Amino acid sequence: MRTLLPALLVAALVGGPVLAQTTPAAPAPASMSFSTATTAITLGGQLTAPRSFVLADLQALPGHEVSLTYMAAGKSVTHTFKGVLLSDLLTAARPAFDPRVRNASLTWYVLAQGADGYAALFSLGEIDPGFGNRGVLLAYAQDGQPLPASDGAVQLVVPGDLKGGRYVSSLVRLTVLPAALPAPN
Ligand SMILES: Nc1nc2c(c(=O)[nH]1)N[C@H]1C(S)=C(S)[C@@H](COP(=O)(O)O)O[C@H]1N2
Ligand SMILES: [Mo]
């Protein structure tokens, strides 16, 4: 379910400057409603430098483009996406790895959540340019346009995934955490 309602609820709950945007003086352009332009994406978890981003923050960072084909609702679709590398955001946020543990990052994950509560996770190992190097993007443009309204302002794009299930749309939260490790024996 990807209606605008969750995004509107989030905008209403966040308050402050976002709330002030709920009665815009002029109609927003159809391609980018006020709610998607101001929806915050929170990057949190066990990070040294957590932060949140709005669309304009992401657009100000180095952009990357990728063209790919994947299965969405049983159909093959092909698009060119532009966005920011998840690995760039994770590097800047500096996960609080235990320096005594060899390759500690390989036991961590990032959980991505949409405004509708839909969620998917990635291991940091698959994101890391030195390991899986998957090139996962926080995409804000599709085929040279803002994302379709049904996908919100930002959607994950996951090169290598055959099905679109991890293309989390209307992205609102990324949470970076270590996996709970069972005793090895
Ligand atoms: N927030 C959110 N993202 C989501 C989903 C969803 O239900 N909610 N469905 C996923 C599934 S199952 C697919 S196949 C793709 C479809 O992506 P598209 O509509 O952009 O092609 O979105 C994924 N991202
Ligand atoms: Mo799907």
Side-chain angles (χ1 to χ4, degrees):
M1 174 263 342
R2 276 167 291 159
T3 67
L4 267 180
L5 187 56
L8 291 172
L9 283 174
V10 168
L13 289 170
V14 169
V18 175
L19 195 57
Q21 298 280 337
T22 56
T23 52
S31 59
M32 189 187 299
S33 71
F34 65 89
S35 60
T36 57
T38 58
T39 298
I41 299 168
T42 300
L43 175 56
Q46 294 186 23
L47 301 172
T48 310
R51 63 167 291 187
S52 70
F53 303 87
V54 294
L55 182 56
D57 299 322
L58 295 176
Q59 288 168 331
L61 294 170
H64 295 260
E65 273 193 2
V66 63
S67 295
L68 33 66
T69 299
Y70 57 100
M71 297 293 291
K75 282 193 209 150
S76 177
V77 295
T78 300
H79 293 296
T80 298
F81 289 98
K82 183 178 183 188
V84 174
L85 283 170
L86 177 55
S87 60
D88 284 350
L89 298 184
L90 295 179
T91 300
R94 285 182 283 130
F97 300 129
D98 183 339
R100 298 164 302 182
V101 173
R102 178 149 50 102
N103 285 329
S105 70
L106 300 184
T107 60
W108 285 53
Y109 62 93
V110 54
L111 180 67
Q113 291 172 286
D116 57 352
Y118 187 84
L121 68 75
F122 302 82
S123 69
L124 292 205
E126 59 181 323
I127 304 301
D128 188 329
F131 291 97
N133 193 27
R134 293 286 295 277
V136 175
L137 286 183
L138 277 74
Y140 48 74
Q142 175 182 305
D143 305 324
Q145 301 290 323
L147 300 186
S150 57
D151 287 326
V154 175
Q155 177 178 30
L156 290 186
V157 166
V158 191
D161 274 14
L162 302 184
K163 298 206 291 183
R166 295 201 292 180
Y167 283 54
V168 177
S169 55
S170 301
L171 187 70
V172 290
R173 187 177 293 276
L174 295 165
T175 306
V176 182
L177 291 170
L181 296 186
N185 51 40

